[in-house]
Amino acid sequence: EAQVTQNPRYLITVTGKKLTVTCSQNMNHEYMSWYRQDPGLGLRQIYYSMNVEVTDKGDVPEGYKVSRKEKRNFPLILESPSPNQTSLYFCASSITGGLYEQYFGPGTRLTVT
Amino acid sequence: DAKTTQPTSMDCAEGRAANLPCNHSTISGNEYVYWYRQIHSQGPQYIIHGLKNNETNEMASLIITEDRKSSTLILPHATLRDTAVYYCIAPPIKAAGNKLTFGGGTRVLVKP
């Protein structure tokens, strides 16, 4: 089944403890992206990647890192999480950059205390 | 992005067609109309998109007016699982990062 997977789905952590949220797609998509969704603020793009080894900042990149060493994986790294990064995170992919037909993962609900 | 306007909410009877309108009067000639939905706290789900012609897939139909200033998403036989927030967007051809920006959407409640 074609899909985007994220792990973990739920995570409660403490301030400053490094964490990684994984994202993987099995559709051979070139483009991948990370969003966060907060009440009243809608979807906001964190980082995106047009292809392997090509990443760029979205609208809210502060406090996050990404890497794209393989086409299928696009992990989101929080080096020192803070409470304001408590949010619902979504990974998305599409066949190529330039397309708005994007496929989303199920989401990761992160709570930082 | 071209501005889109949707009703805040609507109810639909299970088994009946749900017709979701969207106004996009400022859309430019080469901008597509996309529809997504988001079931509570799940990942947004792509539904359909179109430019000028009507489009149909296994999920829905999209009817775009000839002047392209509005469109209607049709769910032909709504089920309880179609309860969700539906978003109509008309993103620019080349937006930085290809980011999706959703407005308020239409909250659709399918009732038994």
Side-chain angles (χ1 to χ4, degrees):
Chain A
E1 179 189 356
Q3 59 184 347
V4 179
T5 56
Q6 294 179 227
N7 282 293
R9 296 288 314 282
Y10 302 91
L11 180 60
I12 300 174
T13 189
V14 296
T15 299
K17 186 176 180 182
K18 180 179 178 180
L19 65 93
T20 299
V21 183
T22 65
C23 172
S24 183
Q25 49 90 8
N26 62 1
M27 297 170 279
N28 201 36
H29 283 176
E30 289 184 350
Y31 172 91
M32 297 185 76
S33 179
W34 276 103
Y35 295 88
R36 62 179 288 176
Q37 187 174 39
D38 303 286
L41 296 176
L43 275 180
R44 292 182 292 169
Q45 189 181 55
I46 304 171
Y47 269 95
Y48 65 96
S49 170
M50 289 294 190
N51 213 326
V52 176
E53 302 291 2
V54 180
T55 63
D56 212 338
K57 296 177 180 179
D59 293 329
V60 289
E62 294 77 21
Y64 305 94
K65 286 175 59 177
V66 293
S67 68
R68 188 91 182 275
K69 294 185 172 63
E70 306 165 283
K71 201 171 191 179
R72 65 183 294 127
N73 296 323
F74 190 43
L76 179 70
I77 303 157
L78 285 71
E79 294 269 3
S80 183
S82 62
N84 64 11
Q85 293 178 297
T86 291
S87 187
L88 181 57
Y89 291 87
F90 293 108
C91 180
S93 72
S94 68
I95 295 172
T96 184
L99 296 179
Y100 293 99
E101 183 179 338
Q102 296 182 15
Y103 295 87
F104 283 76
T108 295
R109 187 169 291 282
L110 173 65
T111 301
V112 184
T113 61
Chain B
D1 299 24
K3 180 177 168 55
T4 60
T5 305
Q6 300 176 252
T8 304
S9 65
M10 62 183 294
D11 293 346
C12 175
E14 186 180 20
R16 304 294 293 271
N19 296 299
L20 283 62
C22 179
N23 288 324
H24 33 78
S25 58
T26 61
I27 196 169
S28 67
N30 55 2
E31 289 176 343
Y32 283 74
V33 178
Y34 285 78
W35 284 82
Y36 279 79
R37 73 180 182 183
Q38 188 171 21
I39 298 168
H40 181 64
S41 292
Q42 294 184 20
Q45 181 184 21
Y46 164 81
I47 301 173
I48 200 168
H49 72 279
L51 183 64
K52 296 180 186 177
N53 301 320
N54 298 337
E55 302 288 345
T56 295
N57 63 20
E58 65 278 4
M59 288 184 67
S61 295
L62 175 60
I63 309 297
I64 302 174
T65 59
E66 195 168 337
D67 63 9
R68 302 213 327 120
K69 292 185 177 181
S70 65
S71 59
T72 300
L73 179 75
I74 301 172
L75 308 177
H77 304 287
T79 71
L80 300 179
R81 290 186 298 178
D82 291 322
T83 291
V85 180
Y86 287 76
Y87 298 101
C88 165
I89 60 172
I93 292 297
K94 291 183 180 180
N98 273 88
K99 64 182 178 185
L100 293 173
T101 303
F102 296 151
T106 296
R107 191 171 297 273
V108 174
L109 176 61
V110 180
K111 296 182 174 180

